[in-house]
């Protein structure tokens, strides 16, 4: 077992005070016998500058007094230390960099942030290389920072290259970092994650009230959101710090358990990936399709023709559970004289097809793309993801266990899908709690998912895009600190159906912050690893 720690602290414009806070937290971690400690992002200086020259003046340099003090303290306490700072590179770039110091004080690895957030684009330079996987006696370690965890590519690349422990340094006021973006990266990759966020003002204290007023948010919403945490490979948070105040949390973990990538049905969720299918992700993606309808009505339902017929009168889309065993002609009859579409799935020989149906019959089919152990009869997977244009927007069908793979939904996003229908049988708690909400959040997709629970009751949910997204567009309601988490309508226990509003038009807005696009801004370097690994046999 390895004792790991996540330390949250406040950092301002006083570099000496910031260093003192870092050293104090390392001392506390050492007193608790931690072997590895993660500190937040931008520990040397607030991420707020007057211009690029100011950012460079405030940046660290390798071997300077700030970083030498961190290295010395790592050696004194014989611990691994991961810290996020700005770094003045010798080639003239100024980067947001994660550094890992070993228990002898040596610098073991560095990773420049590959996707910058908002104003960081004004003052810093994005990383040019993919984050390294670092071999250590503790295990294989990968590093990433804040915005790199709001999308899936950086952590996915680290995982397919063999990392078992991922270290995330954050500088974020977003409350959905702790509730969604941090734990989902552990669960979808079956790795350990140790994440340290900031607390206190993320902007200069004397300017914060005026900035908050301009943005129309309470000043305390521009503080670091804390909730630093340690997450297991199944997405369970085993230690979490409070939302406010300097704090450190610990856990004793077995890093080797992250070598097991098996789902309960025996599927290796990394080995079952199909890198050749993901090649289109390497191409630039700019939203081209016009916006869909402002809103549509979506539902998930048990495969009962009477329920379908009743709901179809004022519903645009109904998704049935995977392999619902309701004949297509019965669905067509239930849709008579309506404009509703239904998505179901069925076995067709050795293939598993999602089927899109309206009152006139079958509109389109989508084969399942990935081979998984749950369906041993499935030996004829599809070769591409297809989208379909409907009166209210563009839809993609993600069939069965294709829902396990973040890459599937990315393929839908780059094809300008507004809505994804998911007939899917969840096997682990994270799939509905974290997986599908994240697929909606990181791609700006409305997701409508239906499945059977073990007792054949209805499960799933509707994950609709909110009109309130980022601080760069006017909010209709009060700013809550949530940046990209969708509006979730779960299926209540015992329900036979559930309905909610989805917003196809909101899929057009992918700007999570000024200059930061969730889809077209995804870093290219990780995609090389994600598309180059061996195909499953």
């Amino acid at each position: 077992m390895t004792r790991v720690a996540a330390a949250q602290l406040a950092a301002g414009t006083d570099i000496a005070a910031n260093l003192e806070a870092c050293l104090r937290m390392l001392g506390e971690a050492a007193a608790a016998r931690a072997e590895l400690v993660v500190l937040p992002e931008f520990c040397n200086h607030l991420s707020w500058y007057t211009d690029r020259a100011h950012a460079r003046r405030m940046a660290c340099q390798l071997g300077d007094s700030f970083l030498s003090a961190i290295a010395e303290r790592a050696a004194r306490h014989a611990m691994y230390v991961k810290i996020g700072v700005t770094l003045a590179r010798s080639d003239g770039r100024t980067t947001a960099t994660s550094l890992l110091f070993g228990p002898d004080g040596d610098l073991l690895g560095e990773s420049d942030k590959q996707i910058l957030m908002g104003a960081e684009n004004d003052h810093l330079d994005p990383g040019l290389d993919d984050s390294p996987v670092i071999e250590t006696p503790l295990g294989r370690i990968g590093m990433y920072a804040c915005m790199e965890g709001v999308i899936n590519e950086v952590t996915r690349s680290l995982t397919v290259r063999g990392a078992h422990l991922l270290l995330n340094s954050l500088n974020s006021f977003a409350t959905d970092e702790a509730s969604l973006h941090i734990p989902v990266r552990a669960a979808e990759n079956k790795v350990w994650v140790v994440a340290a966020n900031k607390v206190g003002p993320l902007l200069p204290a004397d300017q914060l009230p005026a900035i908050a007023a301009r943005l129309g948010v309470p000043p305390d919403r521009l503080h670091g959101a804390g909730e630093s945490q340690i997450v297991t490979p199944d997405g369970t948070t085993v230690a979490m710090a409070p939302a406010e105040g300097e704090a450190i949390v610990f856990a004793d973990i077995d890093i080797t358990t992250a070598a097991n990538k098996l789902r309960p049905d025996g599927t290796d969720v990394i080995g079952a990936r199909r890198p050749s299918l993901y090649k289109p992700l390497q191409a630039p993606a700019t939203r081209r399709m016009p916006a869909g309808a402002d809103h549509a009505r979506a539902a998930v339902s048990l495969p009962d023709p009477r329920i379908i017929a009743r709901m179809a009168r004022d519903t645009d889309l109904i998704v049935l559970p995977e392999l619902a065993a309701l004949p297509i002609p019965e669905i067509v009859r239930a849709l008579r004289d309506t404009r509703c579409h239904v998505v179901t799935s069925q076995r067709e020989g050795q293939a598993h097809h999602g089927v899109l149906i309206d009152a006139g019959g079958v509109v389109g089919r989508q084969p399942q793309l990935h081979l998984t152990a749950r369906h041993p009869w499935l030996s004829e997977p599809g070769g591409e993801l297809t989208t379909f244009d409907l009166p209210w927007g563009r839809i993609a069908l993600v069939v069965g266990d294709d829902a396990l793979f973040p890459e599937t939904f990315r393929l839908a996003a780059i094809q300008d899908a507004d809505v994804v229908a998911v007939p899917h049988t969840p096997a682990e708690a994270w799939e509905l709690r974290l997986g599908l909400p994240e697929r909606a959040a990181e791609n700006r997709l409305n997701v409508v998912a239906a499945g059977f629970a073990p007792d054949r009751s209805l499960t799933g949910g509707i994950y609709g895009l909110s009109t309130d997204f980022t601080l760069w567009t006017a909010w209709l309601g009060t700013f809550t600190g949530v940046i990209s988490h969708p509006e979730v309508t779960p299926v209540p226990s015992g329900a036979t159906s559930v309905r909610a509003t989805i917003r196809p038009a909101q899929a057009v807005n992918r700007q999570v912050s000024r200059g930061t696009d969730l889809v077209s801004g995804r870093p290219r370097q990780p995609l090389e690893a994600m598309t180059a690994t061996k195909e499953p046999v």
Side-chain angles (χ1 to χ4, degrees):
M1 303 292 284
T2 300
R3 178 161 292 185
V4 297
Q8 64 187 37
L9 53 84
T13 57
D14 185 332
I15 294 177
N18 297 340
L19 176 60
E20 182 182 351
C22 292
L23 299 180
R24 182 171 62 250
M25 300 310 289
L26 294 180
E28 290 188 26
R33 301 186 306 280
E35 298 169 72
L36 180 148
V37 184
V38 178
L39 296 171
E41 187 180 32
F42 303 132
C43 282
N44 58 312
H45 191 275
L46 277 180
S47 182
W48 185 266
Y49 306 101
T50 56
D51 53 30
R52 293 182 72 88
H54 180 210
R56 189 162 182 83
R57 288 196 305 274
M58 296 300 103
C60 294
Q61 296 185 39
L62 293 177
D64 69 6
S65 59
F66 189 102
L67 294 178
S68 293
I70 298 295
E72 186 279 328
R73 203 58 57 96
R76 180 189 303 183
H77 299 313
M79 61 168 57
Y80 293 84
V81 176
K82 193 260 194 181
I83 186 171
V85 297
T86 54
L87 204 60
R89 295 287 186 183
S90 59
D91 61 3
R93 293 179 303 128
T94 305
T95 56
T97 301
S98 295
L99 300 172
L100 181 66
F101 292 96
D104 56 2
D106 288 347
L107 179 61
L108 302 182
E110 52 190 272
S111 172
D112 294 339
K113 191 176 184 180
Q114 299 169 64
I115 178 169
L116 301 175
M117 183 69 161
E120 294 170 15
N121 290 283
D122 297 334
H123 306 121
L124 304 176
D125 298 290
L128 303 177
D129 301 308
D130 204 0
S131 186
V133 175
I134 304 165
E135 295 277 356
T136 76
L138 299 183
R140 292 192 291 273
I141 294 174
M143 300 186 292
Y144 65 110
C146 205
M147 181 61 209
E148 291 182 314
V150 178
I151 56 174
N152 69 77
E153 282 82 2
V154 174
T155 53
R156 195 63 154 180
S157 170
L158 287 166
T159 300
V160 301
R161 288 183 287 127
H164 291 160
L165 173 62
L166 302 186
L167 311 180
N168 183 9
S169 296
L170 299 99
N171 177 74
S172 179
F173 58 76
T175 58
D176 44 349
E177 288 278 15
S179 64
L180 180 61
H181 303 309
I182 293 171
V184 74
R185 303 307 169 205
E188 69 193 13
N189 293 301
K190 293 195 176 295
V191 296
W192 291 93
V193 170
V194 182
N197 196 8
K198 286 273 190 67
V199 291
L202 298 183
L203 304 171
D206 59 340
Q207 300 179 48
L208 191 146
I211 296 169
R214 287 201 304 270
L215 294 173
V217 302
D220 62 352
R221 287 297 185 188
L222 299 179
H223 286 210
E227 296 190 319
S228 303
Q229 60 190 272
I230 301 164
V231 190
T232 71
D234 68 0
T236 301
T237 298
V238 293
M240 181 184 284
E244 299 179 359
E246 194 174 271
I248 187 165
V249 293
F250 305 90
D252 295 317
I253 70 173
D254 182 355
I255 297 172
T256 64
T257 59
N260 179 7
K261 304 299 183 183
L262 298 183
R263 198 172 181 236
D265 61 18
T267 299
D268 183 325
V269 297
I270 301 302
R273 297 172 64 256
R274 293 187 62 192
S276 63
L277 288 183
Y278 314 145
K279 292 289 187 183
L281 298 178
Q282 292 182 308
T286 301
R287 177 84 190 195
R288 294 184 178 89
M289 182 178 173
D294 286 341
H295 63 271
R297 294 288 282 168
V300 298
S301 172
L302 286 175
D304 184 328
R306 294 167 298 179
I307 299 174
I308 296 170
R310 184 178 70 248
M311 298 188 75
R313 298 180 196 131
D314 58 356
T315 302
D316 298 291
L317 174 67
I318 300 173
V319 180
L320 305 181
E322 177 185 4
L323 298 172
L326 182 62
I328 289 175
E330 289 194 42
I331 296 173
V332 172
R333 283 194 293 272
L335 295 176
R336 187 172 53 219
D337 298 326
T338 75
R339 297 181 179 180
C340 183
H341 287 79
V342 167
V343 174
T344 186
S345 84
Q346 60 182 201
R347 177 178 177 177
E348 297 189 8
Q350 306 309 305
H352 181 200
H353 282 192
V355 187
L356 178 65
I357 304 162
D358 68 8
V362 174
V363 176
R365 298 177 183 273
Q366 171 64 58
Q368 183 172 323
L369 302 173
H370 299 86
L371 300 175
T372 57
R374 191 165 60 88
H375 295 321
W377 46 265
L378 174 57
S379 60
E380 298 177 0
E384 63 178 352
L385 186 76
T386 304
T387 58
F388 306 91
D389 291 337
L390 301 181
W392 38 264
R394 179 170 288 182
I395 190 171
L397 313 186
V398 170
V399 183
D401 291 337
D402 286 347
L404 298 174
F405 303 92
E407 297 90 341
T408 314
F409 292 82
R410 252 335 191 206
L411 290 169
I414 66 169
Q415 295 183 63
D416 292 346
D418 303 308
V419 179
V420 177
V422 188
H424 161 63
T425 304
E428 296 181 284
W430 75 268
E431 296 171 33
L432 295 181
R433 181 174 63 88
L434 299 171
L436 292 178
E438 185 61 82
R439 303 294 83 87
E442 71 184 358
N443 296 293
R444 290 296 285 173
L445 293 167
N446 297 274
V447 174
V448 185
F452 285 122
D455 62 0
R456 301 292 288 181
S457 63
L458 182 66
T459 189
I462 301 171
Y463 308 87
L465 297 180
S466 171
T467 55
D468 291 333
F469 173 57
T470 83
L471 282 178
W472 306 108
T473 55
W475 277 53
L476 299 179
T478 302
F479 179 64
T480 62
V482 171
I483 289 298
S484 60
H485 200 297
E487 296 176 349
V488 179
T489 304
V491 175
S493 177
T496 58
S497 64
V498 67
R499 184 162 47 189
T501 296
I502 56 174
R503 300 180 179 87
Q506 290 298 317
V508 172
N509 182 10
R510 298 164 170 174
Q511 292 280 329
V512 70
S513 187
R514 182 170 55 84
T516 307
D517 188 292
L518 289 168
V519 179
S520 67
R522 65 193 188 282
R524 297 291 178 265
Q525 298 90 330
L527 293 169
E528 184 174 339
M530 292 171 63
T531 58
T533 49
K534 194 166 105 176
E535 288 285 309
V537 178

